[in-house]
Amino acid sequence: MFASRGHTTSWQGKMEVSYRQAALFLRHAVLASRTVPQTRCLCNTRSVSTVKLECDTFGKRTNNTSPLVILHGLFGSKQNWHSISRNLARKIDRQIIAIDIRNHGESEHSDVMDYPSMAADVAATMKEEGVERGILVGHSMGGKVAMTLALQEAPLVEKLIVVDTTPTTSAGKIVFPKIIEGMKNIKFHTEWTLSKTRSEADKTLLQTIPDLGVRQFILTNLVEDDNGWFSWRVNIAAIEKNLEQIWSFPQFKHVSYHGDTLFLGGGKSPYISESHYPEIKRLFPKALVTHIPDSGHWVHTEKPKEFMEAVTDFIRK
């Protein structure tokens, strides 16, 4: 079912968004490079290699409920979802599994960043965690990973929640290259403290990223190793190389996901609009589309209470 932003249905609220600065705190984290066995998964009639993903769990798993699997967006990490994960675990009485997607957070790096490969990573991680079926929640890039997994391996997905993105080309073509440019312009100095490095990095990012909230979000990726070396924990080279694939979406011509699906957008965000409804309906026939008022692209950080209420209501229905 679909509705315009101008009126409300019985299942859908109207959504208009304003941007709130993301107050996300920097954590010291070092990418642990490990050699792990590769698994192979057939996706879109081609074989892809998976990489090891790191995940954090919240709450206890019960026999009669499926875990909630959370997938962050571009330049994000499972760390950004810790507060939401803890609160949701208590609110819905389910285990929450927050995953770092490849080239992000503490997960392994790879030159490949197409959605079939990233979806295969998540499927392999779910199986490693003993998850036979899960409720997938994906924001932005993570939403596209979740949609791809639902379309490729529907038995793994009990329900699907897609946050501020669609199965089409995204609206971030101008923003993402500027973010990468700013990150590449930063020069790190070993004699600087973490606080000094963060402050100087913010000044450099300001040249290409005027929004303080976005800069704070990007700076959560700044890490210091045991020897005092600073670096970005995201794989900037791989992200830049694969940007065209990241903001697009794979072609699925003869498949659809028939499970319950919620598209949850920000009212002022351009990422979900009426022009996207036909493709949403084609690939996800049972989809509901709703927007959270006074929220932008980072719906879960700007309106956490309303976000959790929407997720909880959808799951309980």
Side-chain angles (χ1 to χ4, degrees), residues 155-172:
L156 280 177
V157 184
E158 180 180 321
K159 291 186 177 185
L160 177 63
I161 301 173
V162 180
V163 185
D164 212 49
T165 193
T166 63
T168 64
T169 299
S170 296

Side-chain angles (χ1 to χ4, degrees), residues 98 194 197:
L194 177 62
T197 301

Side-chain angles (χ1 to χ4, degrees), residues 194-211:
L194 177 62
S195 176
K196 172 70 171 177
T197 301
R198 184 181 173 89
S199 175
E200 292 300 318
D202 183 63
K203 293 177 183 177
T204 302
L205 290 175
L206 178 60
Q207 299 172 19
T208 55
I209 309 171
D211 191 289

Side-chain angles (χ1 to χ4, degrees), residues 61-295:
R61 192 178 309 177
T62 60
N63 293 329
N64 59 345
T65 59
S66 301
L68 198 72
V69 178
I70 293 179
L71 306 174
H72 61 79
L74 187 62
F75 300 113
S77 71
K78 56 184 170 59
Q79 172 194 341
N80 305 147
W81 286 82
H82 280 183
S83 178
I84 290 286
S85 296
R86 291 190 189 96
N87 289 324
L88 272 178
R90 291 191 293 264
K91 195 175 183 68
I92 64 177
D93 195 26
R94 290 176 185 261
Q95 185 180 59
I96 310 296
I97 302 175
I99 295 177
D100 275 337
I101 295 173
R102 67 167 63 189
N103 294 322
H104 289 74
E106 298 172 326
S107 289
E108 288 189 346
H109 288 186
S110 170
D111 290 337
V112 178
M113 273 195 83
D114 59 74
Y115 284 112
S117 297
M118 291 190 282
D121 292 344
V122 174
T125 302
M126 290 172 65
K127 290 168 185 175
E128 287 174 7
E129 293 293 315
V131 178
E132 295 182 0
R133 296 186 79 205
I135 299 174
L136 266 58
V137 179
H139 171 249
S140 197
M141 178 187 73
K144 292 191 173 187
V145 175
M147 286 186 283
T148 302
L149 180 55
L151 291 165
Q152 291 180 164
E153 297 196 52
L156 280 177
V157 184
E158 180 180 321
K159 291 186 177 185
L160 177 63
I161 301 173
V162 180
V163 185
D164 212 49
T165 193
T166 63
T168 64
T169 299
S170 296
K173 283 192 173 185
I174 298 177
V175 176
F176 294 145
K178 288 184 177 179
I179 290 175
I180 291 174
E181 178 187 352
M183 295 174 77
K184 289 172 65 177
N185 286 339
I186 293 172
K187 308 299 181 184
F188 296 112
H189 299 271
T190 54
E191 65 271 18
W192 287 354
T193 63
L194 177 62
S195 176
K196 172 70 171 177
T197 301
R198 184 181 173 89
S199 175
E200 292 300 318
D202 183 63
K203 293 177 183 177
T204 302
L205 290 175
L206 178 60
Q207 299 172 19
T208 55
I209 309 171
D211 191 289
L212 174 61
V214 175
R215 297 200 306 276
Q216 289 177 333
F217 171 70
I218 295 302
L219 287 170
T220 63
N221 289 288
L222 180 63
V223 294
E224 179 184 11
D225 67 17
D226 293 335
N227 297 316
W229 290 93
F230 297 100
S231 63
W232 298 113
R233 63 180 173 184
V234 292
N235 187 347
I236 298 177
I239 292 173
E240 184 175 32
K241 172 186 173 183
N242 292 280
L243 268 182
E244 286 287 344
Q245 293 192 83
I246 292 170
W247 59 50
S248 64
F249 190 73
Q251 291 294 317
F252 290 93
K253 295 183 179 180
H254 305 293
V255 64
S256 57
Y257 172 71
H258 291 270
D260 292 338
T261 304
L262 173 66
F263 281 80
L264 183 59
K268 291 183 180 176
S269 170
Y271 282 77
I272 302 179
S273 68
E274 291 183 14
S275 65
H276 301 130
Y277 290 177
E279 186 67 358
I280 290 174
K281 185 176 182 180
R282 183 180 74 84
L283 293 175
F284 305 96
K286 296 179 68 176
L288 308 178
V289 179
T290 189
H291 294 75
I292 291 180
D294 299 320
S295 171

